[in-house]
Amino acid sequence: MIKPNCSALQRNELITTLKSTNYDLLVIGGGITGAGIALDAALRGLKVALIEKNDFAWGTSSRSTKLIHGGLRYLKQLEVGIVMEVGKERAIVYGNAPHIVVPEKMLLPIIKNGSLGKRSTSLGLMVYDRLAGVKKTERRYMLNKQQTIGAEPLLNDTILKGGGMYYEYRSDDARLTIEIIKTAVEEGALCLNYIKCIDYLYENEKIVACKAKDVFTGEEFIINTKKVINATGPWVDTLRKKDNSLKGKHLQLTKGVHIVVPKEKLPIHQSVYFDVQDGRMIFAIPRQNIVYIGTTDTVYNQDINEPFATKEDVEYIIKATNYMFPTIKLAVDDVISSWSGLRPLIYEEGKSASELSRKDEIFISDSGLISIAGGKLTGYRKMAQRVVDVVCKDLAKVENRTFKACSTKNQQLSGGNLNGLSIKDFATQLHKDYNQFSTDEIETLIHKYGCNTNIILDHAIKSQQELLLAEAWYCINYELSFNINDFYIRRTGRLYFERPTIEENLEKVHEYFTNTLQTNHTIAEKAKEEFTKAYNLVLAFKN
Ligand code: FAD
């Protein structure tokens, strides 16, 4: 049996351990919800495993707006409890992973016939800050029309009345998920991707094990466990159905699309959260050389495994953007990438997609299957706390055991120890020891890998390897990455943020993965095909 670790080179040994251990808890689903649960459970002393049928964060957790935010718009829906909880969580997640959660100024333009007036915006933002316990330096301030134009000259001055400036936190959802997974593994959890739960085994009508399948080899095996949490986001009902327990409340999926355009097409100075004429609001968020804009919110009843942006989705976002920034004249052809995610929300009779609550809920079936759905990226830690409380309470009663209290609030995530420095200062400090690389190169890596960046730089020097391959080496050895899909989509976000330049090195990186992992030919070809499909799918609306 092997100690849990995140090396893709040790996959076989990890599977052997999965087969031969009797777990307290098996988590199904490696999105942010499952990752958070695995970490919380491991810290409390539970023997825990997590399986993911694709790559970690492959579902909704790599396709969100990538904000750690309190959800200002929920104030309009009077969901004060949610705003208060996730608002406070922002500061905690920022403290735990300062390399991937970055404070971001957000401008909220106030327009004629918009959804918010000057007074209500000022009051709303003040309440938002107070509910979320925002520190004084990051509290909102209001701007008059001239000041708003000064802050963002591209705004439509014929409809503008003023603005509110406040702080949100920009993140990288997939990287946050993988850092949580890595931390959970450091704390003793065994987490493995490309393992699918295909069935449950019962004794006295209670689940005692799961039948799992190795997605690469097709091998099926049993994982013994006392408790099972179904944290499969949009697939929660599929897994409840398998347990014959899909009764009462059920999911309503809604699709959200983001488009990516080059920064020169929309050269904004900060993130902007603006009104759409139908009463909704969307974000435009600058990041490196691009700006991403979204999202849509439409009821979704098609294939859960392959949501994509349609021409209609893209035109909706472009029309709204051109209305707010009339001189830019954005066109479908300007879009260089996109992504599309599904919100696993709880169905409520008579409510439209954007009116559905983002609150999370726990369902426990007669067989003991614990399912958790709804919620937000931002609130993952509290969701985990609630559901692990349920598991611990039950195990404590049945087995007369005691467990530690939830301690994720103060748990630094992997990569998060920047010695209290800003990312820039941390990069400058590293640069002193690694002056072969530019501070820009180092800073880009820190935004992804935080204080683990030096492992990549050391490897590049020792093996005289170019930085891109050293990054791939790190992802194989420390982040359970098996192919170019994992690397270009979830570990680095390059498919979304750098799509036009990916092709240059693609074959080289693919060969590096294949040679390092000695991937068999069929599996390697399949990975390549899947990448080509994903690469085309993000611009499928142009066809
Ligand atoms: P997922 O990330 O979908 O994870 C579930 C996983 O389960 C998947 O990876 C899947 O492969 C796996 N799985 C399924 N079946 C099986 C099986 N049989 N065996 C093994 N594994 C299985 N929240 C915020 O806080 N901030 C935002 O800015 C934000 N923006 C959003 C924008 C959009 C467009 C959307 C759609 C959501 C947004 N959210 C945001 C919400 C947030 O992204 C989701 O609440 C969160 O990512 C859901 O995570 P999850 O782990 O529950 O589901």
Side-chain angles (χ1 to χ4, degrees):
M1 288 221 299
I2 192 172
K3 193 170 168 283
N5 65 71
C6 284
S7 169
L9 294 161
Q10 306 227 312
R11 181 175 175 84
N12 291 342
E13 291 82 351
L14 290 170
I15 291 178
T16 305
T17 304
L18 261 183
K19 287 177 187 166
S20 52
T21 307
N22 196 355
Y23 289 99
D24 290 324
L25 173 65
L26 176 68
V27 183
I28 309 172
I32 190 107
T33 308
I37 295 167
L39 174 59
D40 190 324
L43 284 167
R44 295 203 211 190
L46 289 163
K47 194 170 250 323
V48 56
L50 176 150
I51 53 171
E52 160 58 52
K53 76 173 167 133
N54 208 296
D55 184 23
F56 301 118
W58 177 80
T60 307
S61 300
S62 55
R63 307 158 194 245
S64 75
T65 308
K66 308 180 192 298
L67 288 175
I68 296 301
H69 68 153
L72 182 61
R73 75 182 192 85
Y74 309 128
L75 264 189
K76 280 209 286 184
Q77 290 164 244
L78 297 175
E79 300 217 48
V80 176
I82 294 188
V83 179
M84 193 147 63
E85 181 174 300
V86 288
K88 283 198 184 123
E89 284 302 299
R90 295 191 307 179
I92 295 172
V93 186
Y94 174 47
N96 293 346
H99 59 308
I100 29 176
V101 182
V102 182
E104 177 80 31
K105 261 189 181 175
M106 183 78 74
L107 174 62
L108 201 151
I110 302 163
I111 57 163
K112 284 179 200 153
N113 303 321
S115 59
L116 291 164
K118 273 190 188 171
R119 262 221 206 122
S120 54
T121 304
S122 173
L123 190 70
L125 289 177
M126 187 186 77
V127 174
Y128 187 61
D129 282 351
R130 291 286 148 84
L131 287 178
V134 169
K135 53 185 177 191
K136 273 199 175 132
T137 49
E138 293 183 4
R139 290 213 180 131
R140 70 97 171 88
Y141 53 94
M142 299 304 293
L143 307 171
N144 63 27
K145 179 171 175 173
Q146 263 342 93
Q147 289 164 326
T148 311
I149 288 284
E152 211 48 88
L154 290 172
L155 283 169
N156 186 344
D157 70 348
T158 62
I159 52 167
L160 198 64
K161 287 163 63 180
M165 194 74 88
Y166 67 111
Y167 272 91
E168 289 286 22
Y169 291 79
R170 183 162 57 79
S171 186
D172 181 324
D173 44 11
R175 285 232 47 93
L176 183 60
T177 304
I178 192 71
E179 297 295 23
I180 300 170
I181 291 277
K182 283 156 71 183
T183 315
V185 171
E186 278 163 24
E187 296 301 327
L190 193 154
C191 301
L192 198 54
N193 41 0
Y194 298 101
I195 301 286
K196 182 176 183 178
C197 166
I198 51 171
D199 214 345
Y200 312 104
L201 275 69
Y202 299 84
E203 258 175 40
N204 301 324
E205 296 176 6
K206 297 282 178 201
I207 298 181
V208 291
C210 279
K211 192 193 251 187
K213 182 173 173 177
D214 180 342
V215 173
F216 291 142
T217 62
E219 187 202 359
E220 294 181 4
F221 58 93
I222 303 296
I223 306 172
N224 291 304
T225 183
K226 295 170 192 160
K227 297 278 169 198
V228 178
I229 296 181
N230 165 16
T232 54
W235 292 264
V236 155
D237 282 354
T238 313
L239 282 253
R240 288 169 77 204
K241 208 168 174 183
K242 217 179 261 308
D243 173 53
N244 287 323
S245 58
L246 181 51
K247 298 174 198 136
K249 288 194 178 181
H250 61 92
L251 294 191
Q252 170 70 75
L253 304 183
T254 79
K255 186 177 78 166
V257 164
H258 291 82
I259 59 168
V260 180
V261 299
K263 183 98 183 269
E264 62 264 24
K265 285 282 164 196
L266 181 55
I268 44 177
H269 299 295
Q270 64 260 298
S271 296
V272 185
Y273 186 32
F274 60 93
D275 278 292
V276 184
Q277 281 171 294
D278 63 5
R280 294 190 57 253
M281 295 188 74
I282 62 179
F283 292 97
I285 302 177
R287 180 183 163 132
Q288 295 160 349
N289 305 323
I290 59 101
V291 175
Y292 64 91
I293 318 167
T295 174
T296 57
D297 199 353
T298 48
V299 167
Y300 188 80
N301 294 315
Q302 291 156 42
D303 184 3
I304 313 182
N305 293 299
E306 206 171 74
F308 62 92
T310 62
K311 195 156 185 212
E312 202 185 353
D313 295 325
V314 174
E315 283 173 349
Y316 171 89
I317 297 173
I318 287 183
K319 188 173 166 213
T321 311
N322 281 336
Y323 182 67
M324 194 51 68
F325 304 96
T327 53
I328 64 164
K329 307 219 180 317
L330 206 59
V332 172
D333 270 351
D334 296 324
V335 179
I336 52 171
S337 192
S338 77
W339 65 86
S340 177
L342 300 177
R343 300 175 185 84
L345 305 177
I346 317 288
Y347 176 80
E348 291 169 78
E349 187 70 42
K351 289 211 172 169
S352 73
S354 42
E355 282 169 346
L356 289 174
S357 172
R358 269 56 181 166
K359 208 171 148 307
D360 56 281
E361 288 202 36
I362 296 171
F363 313 114
I364 304 176
S365 79
D366 293 342
S367 67
L369 179 68
I370 304 165
S371 300
I372 180 158
K376 308 259 315 152
L377 199 70
T378 313
Y380 81 90
R381 202 189 64 81
K382 289 304 268 186
M383 283 172 77
Q385 181 177 359
R386 280 191 277 274
V387 74
V388 177
D389 275 349
V390 170
V391 171
C392 287
K393 204 171 152 197
D394 205 41
L395 282 178
K397 199 163 83 188
V398 176
E399 301 190 339
N400 201 17
R401 286 162 71 185
T402 50
F403 298 100
K404 291 179 212 153
C406 172
S407 61
T408 47
K409 188 172 175 186
N410 300 315
Q411 178 63 46
Q412 189 105 72
L413 297 183
S414 176
N417 186 3
L418 302 184
N419 299 327
L421 297 175
S422 68
I423 290 178
K424 258 204 164 19
D425 290 345
F426 195 76
T428 310
Q429 197 186 57
L430 264 193
H431 186 249
K432 288 184 191 143
D433 294 330
Y434 298 96
N435 55 16
Q436 301 84 326
F437 308 103
S438 70
T439 36
D440 276 357
E441 283 173 322
I442 294 177
E443 201 180 316
T444 307
L445 288 173
I446 295 171
H447 272 286
K448 294 179 204 148
Y449 308 99
C451 64
N452 294 319
T453 295
N454 67 315
I455 304 176
I456 300 174
L457 300 176
D458 273 336
H459 179 76
I461 294 167
K462 277 195 202 119
S463 58
Q464 297 196 325
Q465 200 169 43
E466 64 176 287
L467 218 39
L468 181 68
L469 292 187
E471 202 180 337
W473 168 86
Y474 178 82
C475 290
I476 291 171
N477 284 276
Y478 293 86
E479 299 200 337
L480 284 162
S481 303
F482 289 93
N483 51 48
I484 45 174
N485 295 289
D486 303 347
F487 184 66
Y488 277 102
I489 306 177
R490 271 115 7 217
R491 298 301 176 281
T492 67
R494 284 186 169 97
L495 174 67
Y496 305 134
F497 305 121
E498 299 169 34
R499 186 180 180 279
T501 58
I502 284 181
E503 262 183 305
E504 223 173 287
N505 293 306
L506 193 65
E507 193 54 41
K508 182 170 64 183
V509 177
H510 172 68
E511 268 175 31
Y512 182 72
F513 266 92
T514 309
N515 293 339
T516 310
L517 289 161
Q518 300 195 341
T519 315
N520 91 28
H521 181 70
T522 318
I523 297 174
E525 283 305 300
K526 193 160 174 248
K528 219 157 111 178
E529 270 165 34
E530 273 168 12
F531 188 81
T532 307
K533 197 168 165 196
Y535 184 81
N536 293 331
L537 197 66
V538 297
L539 291 184
F541 57 86
K542 289 193 180 183
N543 299 330

